[in-house]
């Protein structure tokens, strides 16, 4: 099994050959992307070159954005990735539809052996990460290798996600743990005890209906 296949299968591998070339290609494209003016149409071309056809309609990466390869990132539609996001995509990172990723979130598929003697050999490993539809990840959170975050869930700011998070929950902390389920009661409030006003609720329902046709 060659090093590339070992990488994709979560086995210890050593970065070499085309892996190094692909990383330099990504850095070259990101250098241009992160220096462009807002709404520069060339951004879309660079995202296409970086991710291929793996970025859905209405998805946007707010600069500065950093990644290892780009080609291992798959993103659904209407997803917003805020400024300062870092994705180490040495294995697949799958991000669903309508995901919100706040500033300075780090997503790491890459890891290194605990034993220092093995680490000195430059062997590493990479495990895939999945973020399902409608997830909101708070600022400065860190997602570690092999994690899946279930649909509709919220990850509190500053969390370190070391294990899978189920669907429809709020989870927070280091290490990140579920604190409660998301319920129909949450439809009444925008933040803590701040209720959603009637006009705001009508607008929200209209937008939800509209998105079904996008």
């Amino acid at each position: 099994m060659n090093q590339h296949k070992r990488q994709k299968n979560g086995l210890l591998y050593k970065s070499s050959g085309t892996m190094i070339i692909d990383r330099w290609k990504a850095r070259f494209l990101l250098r241009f992307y992160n220096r462009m003016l807002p709404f520069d149409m060339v951004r879309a071309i660079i995202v296409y070159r970086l991710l291929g056809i793996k970025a859905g309609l209405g998805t946007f990466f707010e600069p500065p954005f950093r990644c290892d390869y780009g080609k291992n990132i798959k993103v659904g539609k209407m997803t917003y990735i805020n400024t300062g996001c870092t994705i180490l995509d040495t294995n697949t990172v799958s991000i669903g539809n309508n995901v919100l990723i706040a500033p300075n979130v780090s997503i790491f598929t890459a890891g290194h052996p605990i034993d220092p003697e093995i680490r000195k050999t430059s062997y590493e490993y990479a495990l895939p990460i999945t973020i399902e539809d409608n997830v909101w990840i708070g600022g400065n959170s860190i997602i570690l290798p092999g994690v899946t975050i279930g649909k509709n869930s919220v990850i509190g700011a500053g969390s370190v996600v070391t294990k899978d998070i189920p669907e429809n929950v709020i989870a927070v902390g280091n290490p990140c743990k579920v604190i409660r389920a998301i319920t129909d009661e949450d439809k009444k409030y925008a933040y803590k005890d701040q209720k959603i006003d009637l006009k705001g609720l009508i607008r929200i329902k209209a937008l939800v209906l509209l998105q079904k046709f996008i």
Side-chain angles (χ1 to χ4, degrees):
M1 187 181 294
N2 63 32
Q3 296 302 314
H4 182 72
K5 288 183 178 179
R6 292 183 65 86
Q7 179 191 45
K8 290 300 180 184
N9 284 281
L11 302 173
L12 286 176
Y13 74 95
K14 183 175 285 190
S15 184
S16 60
T18 57
M19 297 180 199
I20 296 171
I21 294 170
D22 287 343
R23 285 204 305 273
W24 278 107
K25 286 180 180 177
R27 289 173 188 175
F28 180 80
L29 291 170
L30 288 169
R31 184 177 179 85
F32 282 98
Y33 186 83
N34 290 328
R35 291 184 174 188
M36 286 180 176
L37 295 172
F39 308 113
D40 191 325
M41 295 304 294
V42 179
R43 277 184 175 175
I45 297 172
I46 291 179
V47 168
Y48 178 84
R49 289 292 301 275
L50 192 64
L51 307 184
I53 56 172
K54 300 169 187 173
L57 177 69
T59 284
F60 186 75
F61 294 79
E62 193 76 54
F65 169 67
R66 298 176 181 86
C67 64
D68 272 340
Y69 296 91
K71 66 179 183 178
N72 295 325
I73 303 169
K74 301 176 183 178
V75 190
K77 64 182 182 180
M78 304 306 292
T79 283
Y80 182 73
I81 298 174
N82 214 325
T83 184
C85 181
T86 298
I87 301 179
L88 301 188
D89 60 315
T90 45
N91 207 317
T92 303
V93 175
S94 299
I95 302 172
N97 302 315
N98 299 297
V99 173
L100 294 176
I101 296 181
N104 301 316
V105 168
S106 298
I107 300 171
F108 302 148
T109 66
H112 303 273
I114 297 297
D115 183 85
E117 295 302 318
I118 300 176
R119 274 204 311 277
K120 286 194 296 185
T121 66
S122 297
Y123 274 87
E124 58 186 305
Y125 64 88
L127 301 174
I129 290 173
T130 300
I131 300 170
E132 296 183 350
D133 294 347
N134 310 315
V135 167
W136 173 22
I137 299 177
N140 293 296
S141 293
I142 300 172
I143 316 299
L144 294 184
V147 163
T148 294
I149 300 175
K151 65 182 182 181
N152 306 323
S153 288
V154 175
I155 305 299
S159 295
V160 179
V161 186
T162 62
K163 296 180 180 179
D164 290 354
I165 301 297
E167 300 176 359
N168 301 298
V169 298
I170 298 172
V172 65
N174 179 9
C176 188
K177 295 180 180 179
V178 175
I179 58 172
R180 71 173 178 87
I182 295 172
T183 67
D184 286 342
E185 190 70 12
D186 292 300
K187 298 180 186 296
K188 301 177 183 178
Y189 299 93
Y191 178 68
K192 293 185 176 179
D193 58 352
Q194 178 186 338
K195 286 193 173 183
I196 297 174
D197 62 284
L198 183 59
K199 288 184 179 179
L201 186 59
I202 292 171
R203 292 193 188 100
I204 289 168
K205 288 183 176 180
L207 285 171
V208 169
L209 183 62
L210 179 63
Q211 285 186 347
K212 290 181 179 179
F213 296 98
I214 295 177

